[in-house]
Amino acid sequence: MIYEYAYLSVTPGQEEEFEQTLLAAAPILRSAEGCRSVELHRDVETTGAYLLRVGWATLEHHIEKFPKSEQAPRFAEAIERFFDKEPVLRHFAADPVGAPGAAPGA
């Protein structure tokens, strides 16, 4: 499993509506093949900034299969109007470095 971390910046004044909209749209994302979890976290240091953490079975599920799915445009349409800049996306292994079961060399 991997985690997609999306750092999101929401237009000032739209935070509450964004949160409600994302939570309402989360089932769309969760229904995508390979999606395991969806969490939204508020940045406690920057107003209007959020971290969206999505668990995927594999990196391929997110970067190859999800963009071609029927869920991708539906989810994007629901939330993209709130962003005041392009989201920053990164992917990380689920297992911490050095943890039992972590990939060799991790």
Side-chain angles (χ1 to χ4, degrees), residues 15-94:
E15 295 89 357
E16 187 175 324
E17 184 181 358
F18 166 72
E19 290 176 15
Q20 292 171 359
T21 300
L22 190 133
L23 294 174
I28 297 168
L29 187 55
R30 282 190 195 100
S31 72
E33 180 184 350
C35 183
R36 300 289 186 253
S37 61
V38 178
E39 300 173 354
L40 182 65
H41 302 268
R42 285 185 202 103
D43 184 325
V44 297
E45 297 175 314
T46 305
T47 301
Y50 294 86
L51 181 68
L52 176 63
R53 185 175 101 148
V54 182
W56 294 96
T58 66
L59 183 60
E60 177 187 22
H61 280 100
H62 182 232
I63 64 173
E64 294 179 23
K65 293 182 180 188
F66 180 65
K68 298 174 188 172
S69 73
E70 61 99 3
Q71 291 93 338
R74 291 175 50 217
F75 184 71
E77 183 179 307
I79 65 167
E80 66 188 1
R81 65 188 167 96
F82 292 102
F83 303 146
D84 65 357
K85 58 178 103 165
E86 196 69 27
V88 176
L89 303 178
R90 301 295 304 164
H91 298 91
F92 293 87

